[in-house]
């Protein structure tokens, strides 16, 4: 096993740079400036006779503007020499900040839980035996995402002007989700319920990056946060499911039906509050340099590559076309979105200055397979439209698959250039980040325009 002192100086710097890039408060130019200060310190210390390891540790210690950041880096590497050289005694201040944040998160989680029950004041109830009211289906994201944006606006110290701008997308979403006279459980209402969270997620990202959406670093952190939030939320949901099962079982043992409490109260309130809690946990975990992105990309990239290769080979062997049904299209779109997510996660976990390796080639193969699958799905959708005409679901699927096609094609092109040493990985990263808002814009168009074009059926 390679120890800290066995690593060359440039590896220490690359590790430090990768950690600093993941900090939400720092952006591309800031990182370059800090690295310049670090290298100046290293140069002076090595000229004074220190070894590379010694110079690096002392240089990080001396950078007063990075004290807090260095302490977090040290805690993440406590088994190494960092602990003795970098950690300083500010535990009391850190504990106070953590306690304040915990209270804010708890308050917002309670507010999200309460928000899910406010419609009951206007006669919209969640009953134990009743079907989910369409109002909840359309507005589920509005119970939670505005409060999540408030959390990030508070945590990032967003100024009043930028904070005020955040109100507009959520207010517009609330209007478009509730003013249109939708047919209950119609196609347009379902499309609105599915696309509104995607559109509003961009507003949450704006709060997450402090309004600096086009500055390097922040958007990639938001991508990483989004993926890890899903993971944490699933884990909390699994624990919540076990809690609900035991609740029902214990009360059933004494001949009391707990459904009146579990389904209209515990389940919706817990599901809303868990989004805030899971976001807080992701934020806390990201103080540690080791994150899930490298593990997930290394694990799932080969698995999804094999899955797509087997699917394409089976389809070619049997000659079976894709069955263009709503559920099938949603499944294919989710699969392609996962592939795009893996590409983004790979970019977030990779040092842009490292040379191409085998895993980059595997990523390119995954993107090409997804591109072929998307092309087949598009052909099936186009054939369905030419035969039966346009419907809201087909137009939505057509637009989403076209957006995915362009994204995947661009990713394949930039990956191929990078592997052939004709372009840098940073170009691929910028392509993904610049393209990310396109999905949210399309989702907003579905919410706003589709009801006007197709009616409220």
């Amino acid at each position: 096993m390679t120890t800290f002192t066995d690593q060359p100086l440039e590896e220490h710097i690359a590790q430090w740079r990768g950690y600093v890039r993941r900090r939400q408060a720092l952006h591309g130019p800031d990182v370059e400036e800090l690295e310049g200060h670090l290298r100046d310190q290293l140069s002076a210390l090595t000229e004074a006779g220190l070894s590379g390891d010694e110079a690096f540790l002392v240089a990080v210690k001396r950078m007063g503007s990075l004290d807090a950041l260095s302490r977090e880096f040290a805690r993440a590497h406590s088994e190494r020499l960092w602990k003795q050289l970098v950690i300083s005694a500010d535990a009391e201040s850190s504990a106070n900040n953590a306690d304040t944040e915990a209270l804010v998160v708890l308050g917002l989680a309670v507010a999200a839980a309460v928000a899910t029950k406010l419609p009951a004041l206007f006669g919209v109830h969640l009953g134990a035996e009743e079907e989910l009211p369409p109002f909840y289906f359309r507005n589920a994201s509005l119970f939670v995402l505005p409060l999540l944006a408030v959390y990030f606006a508070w945590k990032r110290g967003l100024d009043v002007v930028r904070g005020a701008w955040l109100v507009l997308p959520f207010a517009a979403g609330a209007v478009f989700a509730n003013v249109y006279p939708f047919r209950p459980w119609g196609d347009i209402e379902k499309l609105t319920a599915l696309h509104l969270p995607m559109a509003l997620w961009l507003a949450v990202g704006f709060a997450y990056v402090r309004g600096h959406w086009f500055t390097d670093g922040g958007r990639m952190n938001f991508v990483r946060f989004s993926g890890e939030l899903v993971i944490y939320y699933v884990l909390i949901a699994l624990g919540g499911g076990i809690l609900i099962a035991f609740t029902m079982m214990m009360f059933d043992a004494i001949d009391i039906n707990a459904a009146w409490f579990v389904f209209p109260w515990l389940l919706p309130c817990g599901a809303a509050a868990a989004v805030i809690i899971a976001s807080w946990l992701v934020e806390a975990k990201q103080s540690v340099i080791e994150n899930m992105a490298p593990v997930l990309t290394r694990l799932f990239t080969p698995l999804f590559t094999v899955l797509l290769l087997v699917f394409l080979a089976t389809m070619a062997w049997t000659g079976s076309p894709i069955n263009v049904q709503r559920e099938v299209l949603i499944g294919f779109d989710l699969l392609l979105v996962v592939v795009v997510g893996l590409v983004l996660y790979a970019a977030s976990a990779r040092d842009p200055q490292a040379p191409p390796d085998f895993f980059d080639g595997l990523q390119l193969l995954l993107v090409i397979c997804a591109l072929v699958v998307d092309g087949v799905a598009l052909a099936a959708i186009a054939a369905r439209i030419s035969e039966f005409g346009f419907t809201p679901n087909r137009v939505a699927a057509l637009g989403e698959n076209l957006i995915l096609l362009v994204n995947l094609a661009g990713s394949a092109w930039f990956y191929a250039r990078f592997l052939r040493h004709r372009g840098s990985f940073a170009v691929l990263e910028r392509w993904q980040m610049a393209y990310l808002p396109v999905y949210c814009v399309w989702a907003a168009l579905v919410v706003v325009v589709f009801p006007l074009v197709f009616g409220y059926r």
Side-chain angles (χ1 to χ4, degrees):
M1 179 178 176
T2 302
T3 63
F4 177 81
T5 54
D6 293 332
Q7 299 175 2
L9 183 58
E10 285 300 321
E11 287 189 18
H12 297 334
I13 296 174
Q15 190 179 45
W16 173 90
R17 182 176 57 244
Y19 182 77
V20 173
R21 284 182 185 275
R22 286 192 283 270
R23 307 310 297 160
Q24 293 87 355
L26 297 174
H27 305 285
D30 302 321
V31 175
E32 294 175 4
E33 181 179 355
L34 291 173
E35 183 177 346
H37 293 323
L38 178 65
R39 290 186 179 275
D40 291 341
Q41 290 278 351
L42 288 173
S43 178
L45 291 168
T46 52
E47 289 177 2
L50 273 68
S51 67
D53 296 330
E54 295 169 337
F56 179 67
L57 293 171
V58 174
V60 172
K61 173 63 178 176
R62 286 184 176 180
M63 293 180 68
S65 61
L66 274 179
D67 276 350
L69 186 60
S70 299
R71 283 192 293 273
E72 292 178 4
F73 197 11
R75 293 186 182 104
H77 295 74
S78 57
E79 73 278 13
R80 304 174 185 175
L81 195 56
W82 289 91
K83 190 172 183 179
Q84 290 78 14
L85 291 177
V86 185
I87 294 180
S88 59
D90 69 333
E92 183 177 353
S93 174
S94 298
N96 291 335
N97 292 335
D99 290 342
T100 301
E101 183 171 356
L103 290 175
V104 171
V105 169
L106 180 60
L108 291 173
V110 171
V114 171
T116 62
K117 300 303 296 181
L118 286 179
L121 298 176
F122 302 94
V124 182
H125 298 278
L126 279 172
E129 306 296 336
E130 299 172 7
E131 186 183 54
L132 179 70
F135 175 86
Y136 275 95
F137 186 58
R138 296 193 309 269
N139 290 275
S141 58
L142 291 167
F143 298 139
V144 179
L145 295 188
L147 295 170
L148 186 58
V150 168
Y151 167 58
F152 287 125
W154 171 82
K155 186 173 176 63
R156 304 289 188 263
L158 208 65
D159 59 67
V160 177
V161 175
R162 289 191 176 124
W165 278 104
L166 278 178
V167 177
L168 294 179
F170 294 109
V175 169
F176 287 114
N178 295 285
V179 171
Y180 287 147
F182 298 105
R183 179 171 64 84
W185 299 108
D187 290 342
I188 293 295
E189 186 175 57
K190 291 177 181 178
L191 287 172
T192 297
L194 290 173
H195 288 81
L196 183 60
M198 292 187 283
L200 295 181
W201 194 242
L202 185 62
V204 175
F206 186 84
Y208 186 93
V209 300
R210 296 190 306 162
H212 302 293
W213 183 260
F214 296 100
T215 305
D216 291 338
R219 291 169 295 171
M220 188 59 74
N221 288 330
F222 183 61
V223 169
R224 187 183 299 108
F225 163 80
S226 301
E228 295 189 3
L229 173 61
V230 172
I231 296 168
Y232 273 66
Y233 190 82
V234 169
L235 293 175
I236 293 174
L238 290 173
I242 294 173
L243 174 64
I244 289 174
F246 277 111
T247 300
M248 299 288 290
M249 178 196 70
M250 289 188 298
F251 280 92
D252 186 62
I254 57 175
D255 296 324
I256 295 178
N257 185 3
W260 69 270
F261 169 72
V262 169
F263 294 106
W265 288 93
L266 181 60
L267 187 59
C269 294
V275 176
I276 307 296
I277 299 299
S279 301
W280 176 45
L281 293 175
V282 173
E283 281 287 285
K285 191 209 70 64
Q286 284 188 343
S287 295
V288 181
I289 186 170
E290 289 84 3
N291 58 73
M292 295 182 182
V295 177
L296 292 175
T297 52
R298 297 282 173 174
L299 175 63
F300 286 103
T301 292
L303 294 177
F304 274 91
T305 303
V306 171
L307 170 64
L308 293 179
L309 284 172
V310 171
F311 170 77
L312 290 172
T314 303
M315 188 173 62
W317 178 264
T318 61
S320 300
I322 292 179
N323 182 17
V324 187
Q325 299 297 325
R326 179 192 308 168
E327 293 77 11
V328 176
L329 288 176
I330 292 175
F332 270 98
D333 287 345
L334 288 175
L335 174 62
L336 295 173
V337 167
V338 168
V339 172
V340 172
L342 285 173
V343 174
L344 287 170
Y345 248 41
S348 71
R350 194 186 192 287
D351 185 352
Q353 299 183 6
D357 56 20
F358 170 79
F359 188 76
D360 293 312
L362 191 61
Q363 284 283 128
L364 176 59
L365 179 59
L366 173 64
V367 172
I368 292 175
C369 290
L371 191 60
V372 175
V373 170
D374 192 23
V376 172
L378 272 172
I381 294 169
R384 191 79 171 176
I385 290 175
S386 64
E387 183 176 358
F388 298 104
F390 290 95
T391 66
N393 290 322
R394 290 172 197 148
V395 174
L398 179 65
E400 287 155 11
N401 280 273
L402 284 174
I403 291 171
L404 287 166
L405 183 75
V406 175
N407 191 350
L408 292 168
S411 299
W413 170 258
F414 290 122
Y415 252 123
R417 286 181 58 83
F418 173 65
L419 290 172
R420 296 171 63 188
H421 301 279
R422 295 187 177 182
S424 68
F425 192 84
V427 176
L428 172 64
E429 184 178 315
R430 287 196 294 270
W431 161 258
Q432 291 289 350
M433 290 299 96
Y435 203 81
L436 192 60
V438 175
Y439 297 97
C440 299
V441 171
W442 171 254
L445 288 175
V446 171
V447 173
V448 177
V449 177
F450 271 40
L452 300 175
V453 174
F454 294 101
Y456 309 106
R457 59 193 184 195

